[in-house]
């Protein structure tokens, strides 16, 4: 093994799987391995308290919750999450409700990502006795194309380098992690898409203004409302890419939200203290293949999908189920040839590309009317009207929004 000189004499250990990153993907993989008795270590850069409070997603697809439940990972979620059966588009001053449960029989769960992460950490570390190391620094994968990969990191307590020899590395460290950056040059292709717009992502300490997700399509720009809990609501406002949250004092935010989400016969928005203001430059990427040698990427490490259709965490969970099961089968002896590991990347990527395409389609619905181009305004409004004039178009939308296609 070729190690950099500064880790010539690290503290070494041996483990079957090193999981880098304790987000939804990494914690789900860790829990699956742990339940099957496969030894693993989860390495996380942040503290436990930090990851248990980091706000992000909230909308989880029903199939994903069922898959968590089959693995014993959804008990608190099923007790506390809200079920959502409809969403509403507001455009041209009117509200149009789309009851996707009536169209498909499926629904969404709304459960804040920090709560899911808290549940998964507790199950992995406190219930299943899994090894998770918080606050690690300078995580570096080594020799991933060999049969004896390893991961080194700096221990936060001692400042010493540690080296974990392993059979496989699961790269679940999100969009800015170390594992994707460590992929050997020329072995993967990264496809990127930049929407050329920004979203101001907001969290308000206020009850939701409606009982369902609202999409406001307005000539000034998109606005969205996503209930998170009875006390907290996420809002989005389209803004220029690279904009600064400082350009958005609270008065301006509420003024734009009221204007862009206005619709006759609906209650005014419920205002509250804004506890998060963050600019997202909307872009996507997909790494193909998602595996190189014994390094297997999952979740945002492998593919980022802008939060247009609330798909990123759902894809992360889908990857994690397949990866956890495939690693278990390979390491516990049910699949000694590793067929499921070979199938892992192509199987994930079919759903990934389907969700990317839907997000891109939906982006034009949200943003076309504000593009300053009358042709795009006309076609994006036509897409919207079709959802409320053609039951088949509405059903196709519902299937994609819920991720319920029989096969990807
Ligand atoms: C505002 C917003 C709203 C969203 N809403 C939704 C939604 O409603 N539904 C949905 O499905 N998705 C949504 N998403 C997307 C979703 O949050 C992500 O897709 C999801 O977090 C991906 O999970 P992950 O486990 O792959 O990565 P992450 O959650 O990013 O976890 C990666 C972990 O790795 C750690 N890490 C990073 N680098 C290192 C390193 N070098 N060493 C060790 N650890 C490291 C990080 O600290 C983190 O804990 C939203 C995203 C945003 C930003």
């Amino acid at each position: 093994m070729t190690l950099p000189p500064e880790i010539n004499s690290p503290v070494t250990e041996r483990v079957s799987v090193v999981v880098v990153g304790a987000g939804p993907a990494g914690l789900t993989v860790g829990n699956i391995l742990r339940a099957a008795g496969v030894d693993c270590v989860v390495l996380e850069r942040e503290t436990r308290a930090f990851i248990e409070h980091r706000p992000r997603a909230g909308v989880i697809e029903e199939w994903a919750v069922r898959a968590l439940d089959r693995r014993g990972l959804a008990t608190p979620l099923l007790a506390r999450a809200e079920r959502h059966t409809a969403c509403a588009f507001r455009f041209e001053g009117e509200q149009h409700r789309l009851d996707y449960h009536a169209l498909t029989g499926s629904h969404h769960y709304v459960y804040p990502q920090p709560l899911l992460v808290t549940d998964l950490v507790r199950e992995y570390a406190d219930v299943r006795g899994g090894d998770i190391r918080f606050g690690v620094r300078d995580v570096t994968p080594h020799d991933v194309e060999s049969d004896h990969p390893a991961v080194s990191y700096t221990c936060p307590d001692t400042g010493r380098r540690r080296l974990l020899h392993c059979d496989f590395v699961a790269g679940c460290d999100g969009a800015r992690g170390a594992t994707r950056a460590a992929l050997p040059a020329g072995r993967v292709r990264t496809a990127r898409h930049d929407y050329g717009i920004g979203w101001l992502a907001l969290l308000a300490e206020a009850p939701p203004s409606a009982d369902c997700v609202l999409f406001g399509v307005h000539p000034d720009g998109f606005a969205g409302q996503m209930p998170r809990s009875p006390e907290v609501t996420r809002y989005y406002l389209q803004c220029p890419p690279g904009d600064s949250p400082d350009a958005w004092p609270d008065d301006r935010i509420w003024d734009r939200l009221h204007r862009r989400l206005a619709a006759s016969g609906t209650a005014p928005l419920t205002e509250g203290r804004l506890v998060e203001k963050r600019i997202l430059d909307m872009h996507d990427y997909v790494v193909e293949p998602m595996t190189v040698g014994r390094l297997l990427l999952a979740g945002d490490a492998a593919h980022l999908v802008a939060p247009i259709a609330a798909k990123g965490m759902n894809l992360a969970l889908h990857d994690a189920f397949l990866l956890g099961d495939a690693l278990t089968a390979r390491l516990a002896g049910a699949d000694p040839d590793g067929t499921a590991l070979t199938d892992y990347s192509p199987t994930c990527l079919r759903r990934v590309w389907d969700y990317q395409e839907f997000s891109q389609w939906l982006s034009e619905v949200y943003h076309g009317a504000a593009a300053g181009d009358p042709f795009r305004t006309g076609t994006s409004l036509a897409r919207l009207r079709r959802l409320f004039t053609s039951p088949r178009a509405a059903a196709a939308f519902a299937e994609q929004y819920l991720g319920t296609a029989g096969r990807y």
Side-chain angles (χ1 to χ4, degrees):
M1 171 173 303
T2 45
L3 292 175
E6 70 274 16
I7 52 170
N8 270 342
S9 53
V11 180
T12 61
E13 294 167 80
R14 174 95 181 88
V15 66
S16 292
V17 182
V18 176
V19 178
V20 184
L27 290 166
T28 301
V29 171
N31 269 299
I32 293 171
L33 296 175
R34 198 62 211 151
V38 174
D39 60 322
C40 60
V41 171
V42 177
L43 298 177
E44 168 57 48
R45 187 176 57 192
E46 307 291 350
T47 63
R48 180 168 181 168
F50 182 89
I51 65 166
E52 289 182 348
H53 292 93
R54 178 170 45 199
R56 280 192 189 164
V59 178
I60 313 181
E61 294 169 0
E62 186 182 349
W63 64 265
V65 173
R66 290 228 173 105
L68 285 168
D69 194 34
R70 280 198 296 279
R71 291 162 175 84
L73 299 173
T75 307
L77 185 159
L78 287 168
R80 296 171 66 186
E82 291 179 20
R83 285 163 192 244
H84 277 224
T85 57
C87 60
F89 288 88
R90 293 183 175 180
F91 60 99
E92 296 180 321
E94 302 293 332
Q95 170 161 295
H96 304 262
R97 194 173 169 94
L98 197 146
D99 185 343
Y100 48 75
H101 181 259
L103 292 161
T104 63
S106 291
H107 58 82
H108 276 134
Y109 284 92
V110 172
Y111 194 60
Q113 184 168 337
L115 294 186
L116 180 64
V117 166
T118 301
D119 298 344
L120 293 173
V121 176
R122 185 182 303 129
E123 184 66 28
Y124 175 77
D126 305 339
V127 180
R128 301 185 185 183
D131 184 341
I132 181 163
R133 303 179 189 181
F134 292 102
V136 300
R137 293 275 165 257
D138 303 321
V139 171
T140 311
H142 304 278
D143 294 344
V144 295
E145 293 199 85
S146 76
D147 290 343
H148 44 270
V151 178
S152 64
Y153 69 94
T154 301
C155 172
D157 300 327
T158 63
R160 284 196 69 182
R161 289 300 282 179
R162 299 186 73 104
L163 183 66
L164 293 165
H165 293 283
C166 58
D167 296 312
F168 294 98
V169 180
C172 306
D173 46 350
R176 294 188 186 82
T179 55
R180 189 175 70 254
L183 290 171
R187 296 298 309 277
V188 298
R189 182 189 69 175
T190 305
R192 296 178 192 279
H193 176 69
D194 186 350
Y195 290 93
I197 54 156
W199 273 13
L200 178 63
L202 304 154
L203 269 183
E205 284 180 345
S209 302
D211 65 347
C212 68
V213 168
L214 300 179
F215 304 119
V217 176
H218 192 276
D220 289 355
F222 170 76
Q225 185 247 206
M226 280 84 195
R228 285 293 191 252
S229 73
E231 302 85 27
V232 176
T233 306
R234 190 173 269 298
Y235 288 96
Y236 294 114
L237 275 174
Q238 183 182 344
C239 64
D243 208 355
S244 164
D246 298 339
W248 289 90
D250 292 9
D251 288 353
R252 182 178 179 214
I253 288 170
W254 288 112
D255 176 72
R256 298 305 188 277
L257 285 170
H258 282 290
R259 183 168 353 148
R260 295 184 194 178
L261 285 167
S264 63
T266 62
L269 304 184
T270 312
E271 296 189 15
R273 194 165 73 92
L274 293 167
V275 290
E276 187 193 54
K277 283 185 197 176
R278 187 175 155 206
I279 301 286
L280 307 175
D281 285 337
M282 305 296 271
H283 66 283
D284 307 320
Y285 60 75
V286 180
V287 176
E288 293 182 293
M290 290 165 55
T291 63
V292 172
R294 289 180 174 237
L295 170 58
L296 303 107
L297 301 183
D300 282 10
H303 39 73
L304 190 78
V305 51
I308 289 167
K311 293 296 191 187
M313 187 165 74
N314 291 289
L315 286 177
L317 291 171
H318 183 250
D319 294 352
F321 300 138
L322 292 176
L323 182 55
D325 291 348
L327 286 169
T328 299
R330 167 71 175 74
L331 291 165
D335 178 19
D337 299 333
T339 307
L341 283 175
T342 307
D343 292 345
Y344 167 69
S345 172
T347 308
C348 292
L349 285 167
R350 282 195 290 275
R351 188 183 284 261
V352 168
W353 279 116
D354 188 79
Y355 281 22
Q356 293 282 15
E357 191 282 332
F358 179 59
S359 296
Q360 209 179 29
W361 180 91
L362 195 56
S363 170
E364 187 59 16
V365 172
Y366 290 169
H367 307 118
D373 172 350
F375 193 87
R376 281 181 67 189
T377 301
T379 52
S380 63
L381 287 173
R383 281 187 186 184
L384 263 177
R385 288 193 204 99
R386 191 182 301 136
L387 295 182
F388 301 99
T389 51
S390 161
R392 288 200 177 125
F397 170 88
E399 180 175 285
Q400 290 183 288
Y401 190 42
L402 292 156
T404 54
R407 268 188 75 197
Y408 283 93

